[in-house]
Amino acid sequence: MRPDINHGKQHIPDETREPSVLALMALAWTLADDRRADRLLALTGLDADTLRNGVGDPAILSAVLGFLADHEPDLIACAESIDSRPEALIAARESLIV
């Protein structure tokens, strides 16, 4: 069973969501699964403290979206769970890269 991080709320179009909001939603989805969270830390080189302290940092948020982009099944599952589209998550990542 996948977590419903929208908690049954109505759909909000991707175009009206800030890239950082999409990235934070994707981060919450990623961290909801211990194995996926461990893989995020291992593959991005981030540690829990850096992640916790950097949730407002565009580079950290971009790294989270990059992690999902590098594994299409997770990207698709995340997008479905947060009521978004994979393309919107990719676009959010690109807009966060400075």
Side-chain angles (χ1 to χ4, degrees):
M1 183 174 171
R2 59 178 197 217
D4 175 17
I5 65 172
N6 283 332
H7 306 290
K9 294 181 181 171
Q10 292 183 344
H11 173 74
I12 299 170
D14 288 327
E15 298 77 29
T16 63
R17 292 182 181 167
E18 290 291 323
S20 59
V21 171
L22 280 174
L24 287 170
M25 292 173 73
L27 175 60
W29 178 86
T30 301
L31 296 178
D33 178 86
D34 289 339
R35 287 180 31 198
R36 189 179 304 113
D38 289 343
R39 192 164 39 91
L40 168 70
L41 297 178
L43 294 177
T44 61
L46 298 169
D47 61 35
D49 287 334
T50 302
L51 190 58
R52 194 174 8 264
N53 294 327
V55 294
D57 183 342
I60 300 291
L61 296 176
S62 177
V64 170
L65 294 174
F67 164 78
L68 292 172
D70 288 342
H71 188 68
E72 188 176 14
D74 280 350
L75 178 68
I76 292 168
C78 177
E80 288 175 359
S81 179
I82 66 172
D83 197 23
S84 185
R85 295 173 294 113
E87 299 84 6
L89 294 176
I90 299 299
R93 177 183 183 222
E94 292 172 1
S95 72
L96 289 168
I97 297 173
V98 180

